[in-house]
Amino acid sequence: MKLFIRFIFLFSLLFSFSCETGTDKNSTSSNEEKEEINLPKNIIFMVGDGMGLTQITAGMIGNNNELNLEEFKHIGLIKTGSTSGLITDSAAGATAFSTGKKTYNGAIGVDADTTSIENILEIAGNGNYATGIIATSSITHATPASFYAHQPSRSMDEAIAMDMLSAPVDFFIGGGKDFFSKREDELNLLDSLSAKGFRVYDDVDSISGPFEDKIAAFIAAKQPESILEGRKDILPRATKKALDYFSDKENFFLQIEGSQIDWAGHANDSEGIIAEMIDFDQAIGEVLEFAKKDGNTLVIITADHETGGYSILGGDDEGNIEGAFSTDYHTATMVPVFAYGPGAENFKGIYENTAIFDKMLELLKR
Ligand SMILES: [Zn+2]
């Protein structure tokens, strides 16, 4: 028996040696293969709208001085300006991420001349990726819209909703049901979604497998409530559902937005910022747990801009902070980028917001 084991050991040593030699002989092709192998299987791109460093700090202080975000080791900064000037809005910011082009404030997936530009979700979805979008705003709101729609103005919610019917989206959760069903043109886009193979839900918990169909879930008629108004943990639960949905897909691209960090910033509401920030971080926790188990998922988290010119002037270790604001709009300050998983190191450094698209595109399997 001992002899037999020794024989197996020798044989496997020889075998691994011959494999290595084989690799050396074809070093060019094996390098190409290696590059292929290093591309992540899945990409999850998360945006905390209006999430500057102070918003993150406030969320951390309000959450016993810790966030899931701290597990990200590859960190960068982006310059957020649009063609309208130093101060971007969410539409131009999200269009920069989704298309790699700077555009004017209010533009959804179109360039400065209002020409449509193919976005990263469309490139992935028209390839072999399953795709999804989740937001705590209306699904027609600026950030989610820039990943499936092409319209000259963010205010065109009904036209944006119509664009969902021609987009390669397999799964979405957000508010804005009325833009699909109570429209000026009296069309019922919920029927159109069903005809396109979507199962349409009115809440997150009813979504269940098997997951051969596409999924649409509306969490509000227009804009969902804030956390302080009682939205509860819809975002982390929606994120978990999405990860269940996508877990058996070959490749997926998923965009998730914590939409209301921005709105609390506009309202100069520290308590609201902390609550929305912790909620977004809980969604990050779900994503991280999935990415760690999967081992082949790239997670990128950033913000479109900072909101409020927010600063922390004091507070205590009970989680209370004394916040101060210099504006009720956005600011030009750079915002952080956090990355985890294969390709995460590409997101270090200081660069334009449009480079987020370039870096994701480079890591997409095509
Ligand atoms: Zn805003």
Side-chain angles (χ1 to χ4, degrees), residues 49 90 262-263 266 305 307 329-330:
D49 202 306
S90 298
D262 174 61
W263 303 355
H266 284 287
H305 52 74
T307 305
Y329 195 58
H330 309 155

Side-chain angles (χ1 to χ4, degrees), residues 36 77 335:
E36 185 70 27
L77 291 168
V335 289

